[in-house]
Amino acid sequence: MRKKIVAGNWKMNMDMQEGLAFAQAVDEYYRVKPSTKAEVILCTPFIHLSGVAEILKNGNVSLSAQNCASEPSGAYTGEVSATMIKSTGAGYVIIGHSERRTYYHEDDKLLNRKTTLAIDNGLSVIFCCGEVKAEREAEKQFSVVRRQLEEGLFTLSADDMKRIIIAYEPVWAIGTGLTATPNQAQEMHQYIRGLVKEKYGNESADQLTILYGGSCKPSNAREIFSKPDVDGGLIGGASLKKEDFTAIVEAI
Ligand code: PGA
């Protein structure tokens, strides 16, 4: 059985005090009521990582960064390396989120470097892919996702692929209130699993956790998660309210 995951991506929200209080509340919730069906991950801004790691230590919730540097160390003012993230106690990093691709012009080659560095430093990677609206309208969604995976991920060894979680996030559904239909999500997830099978074989494809992201909320999560190739979600807006986030985790 492959792992089910629900990850909350805070993006650039919550100051230090708010973030720590929120993490504390989520941690307490899953100490009293452990989630047996899904691994729960909080994806926080860099500044929260070490404080949140301390709170989550010995609990049932995991920790992720939202980005990492494309270089291992050195004179890169303002950057945070994979080694630094690992040293906080975080186990995961999101790479290739569409907001990084769009606003910070991160291309497939750069994302491949970041992914390799993250894996080499012992992190697991939540690797995001997905098409923009114009690409879907032109029916190019499959070729776009294929390119993103081939160039961003498929240089990894089969062993390293075990530490990859893929998040399919159609860009037109992120923060817009538009959600892919459960069938659109299933169709793309099945396609992604097929690509991984072609490249790495049956076992890697079967074990790969593929998350859906894009306006996932308590009211639609159950239907999306019911699809056979959807193994959980990467949740943005709805991860900022504990009741909504935990309700989505329960939808698994
Ligand atoms: P959203 O964001 O749930 O607010 O659409 C998802 C994401 O960007 O990971």
Side-chain angles (χ1 to χ4, degrees), residues 4-5 9 31 49 58 62 67 72 106 111 134 138 144-145 148 150 160 163 180-181 185 187 192 202 222 237 249:
K4 307 264 185 197
I5 291 177
N9 175 12
R31 278 179 199 257
L49 286 176
N58 308 324
S62 305
N67 178 31
E106 297 191 356
L111 297 173
V144 167
V145 167
Q148 290 172 338
E150 280 179 348
D160 289 345
R163 301 240 302 283
T181 64
E187 181 184 45
I192 291 170
N202 259 330
R222 192 172 294 270
V249 174

Side-chain angles (χ1 to χ4, degrees), residues 97-201:
H97 191 282
S98 69
E99 287 148 17
R100 302 292 320 170
R101 292 178 188 264
T102 307
Y103 306 142
Y104 303 98
H105 313 293
E106 297 191 356
D107 61 16
D108 297 316
K109 225 172 128 195
L110 181 95
L111 297 173
N112 181 257
R113 279 220 302 282
K114 291 187 175 199
T115 303
T116 307
L117 274 172
I119 297 283
D120 288 350
N121 281 285
L123 292 166
S124 294
V125 172
I126 302 172
F127 187 89
C128 301
C129 60
E131 79 287 357
V132 301
K133 190 158 177 269
E135 290 163 339
R136 176 153 290 255
E137 282 167 357
E139 296 183 3
K140 289 192 176 138
Q141 66 269 27
F142 294 110
S143 60
V144 167
V145 167
R146 181 184 193 113
R147 189 210 72 228
Q148 290 172 338
L149 298 183
E150 280 179 348
E151 296 187 12
L153 275 189
F154 287 178
T155 56
L156 298 181
S157 69
D159 224 33
D160 289 345
M161 269 307 278
K162 291 186 187 139
R163 301 240 302 283
I164 298 287
I165 292 130
I166 293 179
Y168 169 58
E169 300 202 300
V171 182
W172 47 271
I174 296 178
T176 58
L178 294 174
T179 318
T181 64
N183 286 340
Q184 283 172 325
Q186 168 58 24
E187 181 184 45
M188 182 59 84
H189 284 222
Q190 191 174 8
Y191 176 72
I192 291 170
R193 204 177 298 289
L195 292 177
V196 172
K197 183 174 164 179
E198 247 172 56
K199 170 80 188 168
Y200 294 100

Side-chain angles (χ1 to χ4, degrees), residues 49-61:
L49 286 176
S50 64
V52 172
E54 190 56 33
I55 290 168
L56 302 182
K57 165 177 97 180
N58 308 324
N60 297 303
V61 178

